[in-house]
Amino acid sequence: MSDPLPPTLTGGCLCGAIRYELKVTSPKDWPIENGTCQCTQCRKFTGSLIPHLLSAQKAWITWSPPINVSSSSSSSSSETETTTYREYNSSPGCYRGFCNQCGSSLTWRSDGEPENIEIFVGSLDQQSLMGEEVTISSGSEERKRIPGYGDTLQARIKHIWFRNAIKGITDDLKGPRFEEGSEECPEIN
């Protein structure tokens, strides 16, 4: 049985200049498909050995301030004057979104899937991942955490570019593993 839809997942960059709300609109899309990528570009973009991304529909996300992630290049669009969100054209038809003020890695998208965007899980707020910490007063003060959605987000995980796995460090991940970047590639054991 799957968890109920979360009201909203929130996130943003480290400095707070870019914020987003992600609202899944259908139970069939929850939990959100997600995965890790061990390609060299994702590692260098995030500074992490195993970057983790959520596969979201652009329609699920509300950005603050509003940003344009639908054009092929955001560097010349008018939104660059009102937001710190920028995109780097990392390979033909693929773009990596980040905050140009604090450097936070936020998104990956492809012209081949114009309705979708990948959100880096590390940009989600702590409350969305771990839950909210509350204080209960009943005689003595006690802290308790209302669960977040971090564990649920692991339910539909897959691993791409597994051929770049580092033996003994990143090669023991559970879930489907693909040698390269798509499900058309054979799954490896």
Side-chain angles (χ1 to χ4, degrees):
M1 184 168 128
S2 67
D3 288 348
L5 289 176
T8 302
L9 298 174
T10 60
C13 66
L14 180 61
C15 71
I18 300 170
R19 300 287 305 150
Y20 63 83
E21 292 184 347
L22 190 155
K23 184 159 181 70
V24 179
T25 56
S26 170
K28 73 176 179 58
D29 295 319
W30 183 252
I32 300 171
E33 185 176 305
N34 64 94
T36 65
C37 183
Q38 294 194 47
C39 79
T40 301
Q41 287 186 10
C42 277
R43 284 180 172 165
K44 288 186 178 278
F45 185 61
T46 63
S48 173
L49 287 177
I50 309 176
H52 191 164
L53 301 107
L54 295 177
S55 299
Q57 294 176 21
K58 287 181 184 176
W60 296 347
I61 304 170
T62 303
W63 295 92
S64 179
I67 64 173
N68 178 10
V69 291
S70 61
S71 63
S72 290
S73 174
S74 67
S75 61
S76 62
S77 63
S78 63
E79 113 266 340
T80 60
E81 298 170 13
T82 60
T83 181
T84 62
Y85 181 87
R86 299 295 186 276
E87 288 185 329
Y88 170 64
N89 182 202
S90 57
S91 53
C94 297
Y95 306 88
R96 296 175 182 278
F98 62 97
C99 174
N100 78 339
Q101 186 166 299
C102 66
S104 294
S105 303
L106 297 168
T107 66
W108 179 91
R109 69 178 183 86
S110 166
D111 285 343
E113 295 184 48
E115 68 286 342
N116 295 326
I117 192 165
E118 305 279 328
I119 300 287
F120 282 95
V121 172
S123 70
L124 285 170
D125 291 337
Q126 179 174 321
Q127 186 174 344
S128 290
L129 288 172
M130 297 174 54
E132 182 178 2
E133 192 171 69
V134 295
T135 302
I136 301 168
S137 296
S138 58
S140 65
E141 201 171 277
E142 180 185 336
R143 292 184 140 183
K144 182 179 180 181
R145 188 168 293 280
I146 298 170
Y149 297 96
D151 59 339
T152 304
L153 292 173
Q154 297 299 309
R156 292 180 65 188
I157 194 166
K158 64 182 178 184
H159 310 286
I160 60 174
W161 284 98
F162 210 76
R163 72 176 181 186
N164 287 1
I166 300 168
K167 188 163 179 55
I169 298 173
T170 67
D171 63 342
D172 193 27
L173 303 174
K174 294 181 180 12
R177 297 181 262 179
F178 300 92
E179 202 167 289
E180 292 188 9
S182 72
E183 292 177 3
E184 287 79 40
C185 294
E187 187 175 337
I188 58 175
N189 296 323

